[in-house]
Structures are given as C-alpha cells and as structure tokens.
C-alpha cells in the first residue's frame, strides 16, 4: 500500500501553479488541511474550489520581506499549529551569453533563497506547536553540478542546499525535521519556457506523488528521478568528467563578449 500523509495541517507555498499546486491538491484529498500560498489570489481561489473543506487560501509573496512580516499573524488566524511546511515557491531566469545582470540574479535569489528564509521564519512558531514538525523546501538537481546558463538559478539552489543543511545542524536536538527536495525536470509553467531537451520529464502530479511518498519515508534529502539524480551525483563527485565530457556539448558561448 502506498504511504500517504494524512490528518495533518500543512502550509504549501508556490501553490498557484506547478508542483506546489499539484501537491496542495493531492494532500488536501488525503484528508489534510492545506494552507495554500502564492502571489496570485485568483489561482489560489480556483484551487480551493477543488477541495473547499480542506484548502485554506493565504495569498502572499514570499520574496517580499515587508509583506511577509504580516504572515505569522495571518497564519495564526488560520491554524493553531503546523505539522509540515513545503516551500515550493520559486522562479528561474537563465543568463544567456553571460550578461551577469544583477537585477536578474537578485530576482532569482529573492524567490528561491530569501523566500525560503522568510517562509521558515514565518512558520517556526506554529511548527513548534506540533509534536513532529517537518520543514521541506524545493531545491533542484541543478545544484549538484554547474550547468551553463544556470548561474543565477543553480547558485540560488546551491545556497538553499547549504542553508537547509545549516538549519538542520542548528536544530538537530529539536523535534523539527528539515528536508531538501531536489527534483529533476518537471512540466510546469516555468519549464515550458525551456528551449532545450529535458530528459526524464515528469508531470507535476507525478512529482507530487513522489514527494509525498518520500516524505513519508522520513528522508532528509529527496532526489528524483533516480535515472537523472544518480548520474548527476556521480559527476558531481568527479567534476573533471563533467567539465570534460558534458559541458562542452551544453554551452552556447564560443567567444568572449567584446566590450
């Protein structure tokens, strides 16, 4: 029998689309109370219609420090505790031709890294009211090895890897379990913009099913699919092979820009 998360109260960010939406709907259908967050209230309201008795809407932008200051109080008005948080909010911008646009890098880090910091800060008081709390955040297998064009995105996910590891170390004597989720390519509005082949592409629903299953197993790091994660982890441990065999086929830059 497939394991399921049941009878919990969860907060899922990035719930207006993609993995966050699929996970929110899946968990709500498994008799959980899901607080679904995202920037687009209309999309969250549409999601709530699928399971109105189980989904509660909390619209917010996790990358907006000022707006997030009010979120702990808003969360407290919806629930007295949180058993689990899954931080799925994020974005992706590629650095074509190594433009090194600082505004682009900041947007990516604000959503993918600082957004998770804001989410954890907002959730900690309510997680402390649960006997076995879990904080999980969506990283990426792109943090395992450096990909061309992914300077901003991959760096933000690598920073998230370290951040969650440090939080896990700090809280190792507490009940809170910290989980890093690193999916491969998932069909979402973000990946639909990709102009390259995406091996082992899966649907958001398939990703949500895998995430729930692995969370039930109590893993601290969830990498999937294995057909992609295992080769990348091997190449990550032997980066000379990655740079010699793979990146010359992936990069689009042939000459340095002239100023």
């Amino acid at each position: 029998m497939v394991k399921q998360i049941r009878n919990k109260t969860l907060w899922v960010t990035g719930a207006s689309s993609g993995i966050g939406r699929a996970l929110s709907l899946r968990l709500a259908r498994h008799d959980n109370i899901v607080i679904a967050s995202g920037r687009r209230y209309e999309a969250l309201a549409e999601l709530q219609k699928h399971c109105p008795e189980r989904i509660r809407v909390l619209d917010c932008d996790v990358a907006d420090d000022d707006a997030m200051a009010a979120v702990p109080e808003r969360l407290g008005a919806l629930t007295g505790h949180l058993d689990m948080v899954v931080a799925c909010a994020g974005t992706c911008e590629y650095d074509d031709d190594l433009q090194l646009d600082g505004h682009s890098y900041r947007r990516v880090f604000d959503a993918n890294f600082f957004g998770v910091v804001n989410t954890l800060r907002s959730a900690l008081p309510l997680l402390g009211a649960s006997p076995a709390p879990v904080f999980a955040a969506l990283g990426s297998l792109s943090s395992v090895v450096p990909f061309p064009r992914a300077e901003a995105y991959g760096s933000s996910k690598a920073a998230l890897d370290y951040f969650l590891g440090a939080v896990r170390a700090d809280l190792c004597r507490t009940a809170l379990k910290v989980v890093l989720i690193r999916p491969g390519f998932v069909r979402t509005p973000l990946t639909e913009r990709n102009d390259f082949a995406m091996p082992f592409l899966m649907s958001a629903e398939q990703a949500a099913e895998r995430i729930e299953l692995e969370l039930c197993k109590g893993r601290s790091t969830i990498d999937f699919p294995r057909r992609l994660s295992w080769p990348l982890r091997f190449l990550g441990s032997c980066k000379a092979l990655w740079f010699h065999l793979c990146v010359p086929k992936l990069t689009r830059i042939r000459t340095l820009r002239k100023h």
Side-chain angles (χ1 to χ4, degrees), residues 55-91:
I55 296 177
R56 301 171 184 174
V57 169
L58 175 63
D59 60 313
C60 62
D61 182 355
V62 297
D64 186 332
D65 293 347
D66 293 335
M68 288 298 290
V71 167
E73 183 177 351
R74 295 175 66 197
L75 274 172
L78 294 173
T79 181
H81 77 285
L82 287 170
D83 297 300
M84 183 179 295
V85 176
V86 187
C88 297
T91 191

Side-chain angles (χ1 to χ4, degrees), residues 14 58 81 86 105 109 113 125 134 143 152 157-158 222-223:
L58 175 63
H81 77 285
V86 187
Y105 280 61
F109 266 81
F113 179 75
V134 176
S143 67
K157 295 300 188 179
I222 299 172
D223 290 347

Side-chain angles (χ1 to χ4, degrees), residues 109-130:
F109 266 81
D110 281 345
N112 295 353
F113 179 75
F114 291 107
V116 176
V117 176
N118 287 338
T119 300
L120 177 58
R121 184 177 62 247
S122 298
L124 271 178
L126 292 175
L127 286 169
S130 172

Side-chain angles (χ1 to χ4, degrees), residues 38-246:
R39 292 179 299 172
R40 296 181 292 125
Y41 178 81
E42 296 78 8
L44 296 173
E46 188 277 330
L47 170 66
Q48 188 180 37
K49 291 178 182 177
H50 293 276
C51 207
E53 72 283 4
R54 293 287 178 180
I55 296 177
R56 301 171 184 174
V57 169
L58 175 63
D59 60 313
C60 62
D61 182 355
V62 297
D64 186 332
D65 293 347
D66 293 335
M68 288 298 290
V71 167
E73 183 177 351
R74 295 175 66 197
L75 274 172
L78 294 173
T79 181
H81 77 285
L82 287 170
D83 297 300
M84 183 179 295
V85 176
V86 187
C88 297
T91 191
C92 178
E93 295 184 31
Y94 293 115
D95 191 351
D96 293 315
D97 300 321
L98 206 61
Q99 297 294 317
L100 300 172
D101 178 1
H103 296 293
S104 172
Y105 280 61
R106 288 186 181 92
R107 284 193 299 269
V108 172
F109 266 81
D110 281 345
N112 295 353
F113 179 75
F114 291 107
V116 176
V117 176
N118 287 338
T119 300
L120 177 58
R121 184 177 62 247
S122 298
L124 271 178
L126 292 175
L127 286 169
S130 172
V134 176
F135 183 86
L138 208 64
S140 169
L141 286 176
S142 68
S143 67
V144 178
V145 291
F147 283 87
R149 303 172 66 211
E151 286 85 359
Y153 179 75
S155 295
S156 69
K157 295 300 188 179
L160 178 61
D161 285 15
Y162 190 93
F163 171 72
L164 291 178
V167 171
R168 182 183 174 196
D170 257 330
L171 300 181
C172 67
R173 293 187 177 181
T174 74
L176 181 64
K177 185 172 185 61
V178 179
V179 182
L180 170 65
I181 303 168
R182 298 191 297 192
F185 294 107
V186 179
R187 189 180 296 108
T188 70
L190 278 179
T191 59
E192 285 175 358
R193 304 192 307 231
N194 288 348
D195 58 356
F196 53 84
M198 294 180 283
F200 313 118
L201 180 67
M202 63 176 59
S203 68
E205 290 73 23
Q206 289 172 319
E209 180 180 6
R210 183 63 182 271
I211 289 169
E212 182 186 19
L213 176 63
E214 297 299 330
L215 284 171
C216 287
K217 293 179 181 178
R219 301 188 189 282
S220 296
T221 301
I222 299 172
D223 290 347
F224 65 92
R226 291 181 181 178
R227 291 175 294 173
L228 183 60
S229 66
W230 286 11
L232 288 180
R233 287 163 66 182
F234 168 74
L235 290 165
S237 67
C238 189
K239 285 193 170 63
L241 283 177
W242 172 251
F243 280 99
H244 179 69
L245 297 177
C246 301

